[in-house]
Amino acid sequence: MAGRTAAAINRGQTIILIGLVLQVVSFLFFMVTAAVFHLRLRRTPTQKLLSEPGIPWQKHMFALYITSLLILIRCVFRLVEYAQGRDGALMTYEVFLYLFDSVLMLGTVLVLILVHPSEVNALLKGNGAKVVRNVVNLYTVR
């Protein structure tokens, strides 16, 4: 908080809170949009999905839901943390930072390592495009 007056500090906190609320709202909008896309694609599959039934697109959608939920929980944590102020419990005790920041981001990374988005890209490109597996090894999707 670099403000020199109480008014400047309050204005800065208000700007941060508005930004965090906008972040949560826009992320919720993204999640709803992804769910609508998922439902529409299940109801009316594309030609590519009909011609190649082995494409694991739903696996990637569920990975997107899991990671999005973890990130949304983190965003809400940040919002509550800043709403409580400097003396709030969430800023006072480090355990909350580790639990709602580090553990949630670790979970997000682990899900995306297990279900790497490069698989979708390789399947869409075809012709021997590469997929990241096991973090470093590359395999060709046939």
Side-chain angles (χ1 to χ4, degrees):
M1 311 258 180
R4 296 177 190 253
T5 65
I9 291 172
N10 288 338
R11 191 175 325 116
Q13 288 176 332
T14 302
I15 291 170
I16 289 173
L17 286 174
I18 290 171
L20 289 169
V21 167
L22 288 173
Q23 181 182 27
V24 169
V25 168
S26 63
F27 209 78
L28 281 170
F29 179 72
F30 167 76
M31 290 176 69
V32 168
T33 303
V36 168
F37 169 77
H38 187 183
L39 292 173
R40 288 182 181 174
L41 196 57
R42 280 182 56 191
R43 199 172 342 166
T44 312
T46 63
Q47 278 303 115
K48 180 96 172 168
L49 287 178
L50 292 174
S51 65
E52 298 180 35
I55 296 177
W57 68 276
Q58 291 200 75
K59 172 180 76 171
H60 289 278
M61 289 304 297
F62 289 118
L64 177 70
Y65 295 145
I66 292 167
T67 56
S68 294
L69 182 63
L70 293 173
I71 292 170
L72 181 65
I73 292 168
R74 180 179 181 263
C75 292
V76 170
F77 161 71
R78 286 284 181 212
L79 177 64
V80 173
E81 178 185 39
Y82 278 96
Q84 287 182 350
R86 288 178 142 179
D87 299 326
L90 296 180
M91 271 202 195
T92 305
Y93 301 104
E94 279 187 24
V95 67
F96 295 117
L97 178 68
Y98 293 129
L99 182 64
F100 291 111
D101 198 14
S102 305
V103 172
L104 292 173
M105 288 299 97
L106 177 64
T108 300
V109 169
L110 291 176
V111 169
L112 290 175
I113 285 174
L114 294 173
V115 184
H116 201 279
S118 68
E119 183 178 16
V120 173
N121 189 37
L123 289 168
L124 291 174
K125 284 185 177 179
N127 297 329
K130 300 292 183 180
V131 176
V132 176
R133 302 275 166 112
N134 301 327
V135 184
V136 262
N137 299 330
L138 295 174
Y139 298 94
T140 302
V141 174
R142 297 180 201 264

